[in-house]
Amino acid sequence: MGREFKAMLAPASAPHSFKPKNIYTAVVKTLFSLYDTVLVAAFFQFLFCVLLPPGFSVVPSAVLLLGYAATSLIHYLTPSSSVNPYTQHVVPGRATAQLPGPSGSFGAAPGAQGGLVVFILGVQWNHPLGILCPGGKDVSQKFLAMNADLLRRREELGLLSVNNWNGASLETATSTSITYYFRDVESIHRFAHEELHRKAWDWFSGRRYKHIGIFHETFIVPARSYETGYVNCIPAGLGRGVVRCEDAGGEGQWVNTLVSADTPALRTQMSRLGRDAQGNPKE
């Protein structure tokens, strides 16, 4: 029997959160990458130029650029600072995700604590106004309401991890998706037939917005049939997962799924899948 896997993060009294403490990064820096926000900033710049003498027209952009440069320099010079939003939640070293048992122990066998279900839920705004299109805000609010309900009931529904992703895979489409990791598909099915989801679906079906698309994908993964690898990452994917364990150092502790991959049983992709070097399942 090998050594028990070592947790990378300590148990906590509430689910682990990896949101940056410094809101500047999440808001100001995205001005340089979000098309809609740049347009809004350009509009206010235009008003500034119209209402004030010409010499003041450089003030808004100069202030923004100076703030961007100053904070970037501070973050560059203090990479280990607790307030650096780029490094404050990074888990150093090699890690992988394993599900803990009821006691909070990970055991010594990869993927031995059961399978999981990956459920991806997404929406596309196929419209020039993006999320500001007719019905866009209402769809977004209903998505957020269902997500909030799932997070409130994560222990009841066996919800392990939640990841939000935004992108524009098509030049004419703005999309967002949420990837959920569950213990079983039965919980997803039950939630889909509850009142909150049924009302949202009936509302969407009745509106028939041709410029708004929604999608989902479900993948049922048996035990010892999944593996993950992270190196110097802010927890992502299944690595963001938490499980409430009654006996993990105290009643009601939440245990993160990340464990150290610096052990023979977790060092390679095949070993994490419980297979030998040729890909054959180990007994």
Side-chain angles (χ1 to χ4, degrees):
M1 177 69 68
R3 292 180 299 175
E4 182 176 325
F5 301 147
K6 178 183 177 183
M8 299 292 281
L9 299 176
S13 58
H16 297 75
S17 174
F18 305 103
K19 294 181 179 179
K21 299 176 183 178
N22 187 345
I23 197 172
Y24 170 83
T25 299
V27 178
V28 178
K29 293 234 174 183
T30 55
L31 289 174
F32 292 85
S33 58
L34 295 181
Y35 178 72
D36 294 337
T37 309
V38 171
L39 288 179
V40 173
F43 173 73
F44 281 104
Q45 173 74 33
F46 172 76
L47 291 181
F48 202 94
C49 294
V50 170
L51 298 176
L52 295 175
F56 288 89
S57 62
V58 300
V59 172
S61 56
V63 170
L64 183 61
L65 287 171
L66 181 62
Y68 186 95
T71 53
S72 295
L73 180 61
I74 292 173
H75 294 153
Y76 175 76
L77 296 176
T78 58
S80 60
S81 170
S82 62
V83 297
N84 188 329
Y86 298 100
T87 60
Q88 64 187 224
H89 295 304
V90 170
V91 177
R94 299 174 68 251
T96 186
Q98 296 289 312
L99 302 183
S103 67
S105 170
F106 290 95
Q113 300 292 349
L116 53 85
V117 178
V118 181
F119 182 72
I120 302 173
L121 180 64
V123 58
Q124 291 182 352
W125 294 278
N126 305 308
H127 193 279
L129 295 179
I131 195 174
L132 300 179
C133 67
K137 180 180 178 182
D138 293 327
V139 170
S140 178
Q141 289 176 337
K142 294 183 185 303
F143 261 66
L144 291 173
M146 288 188 289
N147 187 66
D149 189 47
L150 284 168
L151 288 173
R152 282 193 298 268
R153 302 164 58 197
R154 64 188 311 158
E155 182 181 7
E156 171 195 347
L157 296 172
L159 177 62
L160 301 170
S161 179
V162 181
N163 291 255
N164 299 336
W165 304 99
N166 297 312
S169 57
L170 301 173
E171 291 189 3
T172 57
T174 300
S175 62
T176 184
S177 67
I178 308 177
T179 302
Y180 299 95
Y181 297 80
F182 285 89
R183 284 281 195 180
D184 56 68
V185 73
E186 289 76 18
S187 295
I188 304 174
H189 183 74
R190 175 160 59 91
F191 181 81
H193 287 79
E194 291 179 349
E195 184 178 11
L196 180 63
H197 181 268
R198 291 305 314 170
K199 283 187 174 180
W201 176 249
D202 291 342
W203 174 87
F204 181 79
S205 298
R207 293 301 187 278
R208 299 186 182 279
Y209 292 118
K210 293 184 178 180
H211 56 274
I212 300 178
I214 59 174
F215 62 90
H216 81 266
E217 298 178 345
T218 306
F219 304 92
I220 301 177
V221 187
R224 301 182 68 128
S225 296
Y226 59 90
E227 68 87 26
T228 62
Y230 317 94
V231 180
N232 301 331
C233 287
I234 296 173
L238 187 58
R240 294 178 73 95
V242 288
V243 177
R244 191 172 186 272
C245 302
E246 296 294 341
D247 301 324
E251 184 177 356
Q253 293 286 291
W254 290 86
V255 178
N256 176 260
T257 54
L258 285 179
V259 300
S260 172
D262 289 326
T263 181
L266 298 174
R267 191 158 293 159
T268 68
Q269 182 185 49
M270 287 303 178
S271 63
R272 293 191 291 270
L273 287 168
R275 298 171 181 265
D276 61 26
Q278 286 71 44
N280 300 310
K282 295 179 180 178
E283 294 296 333

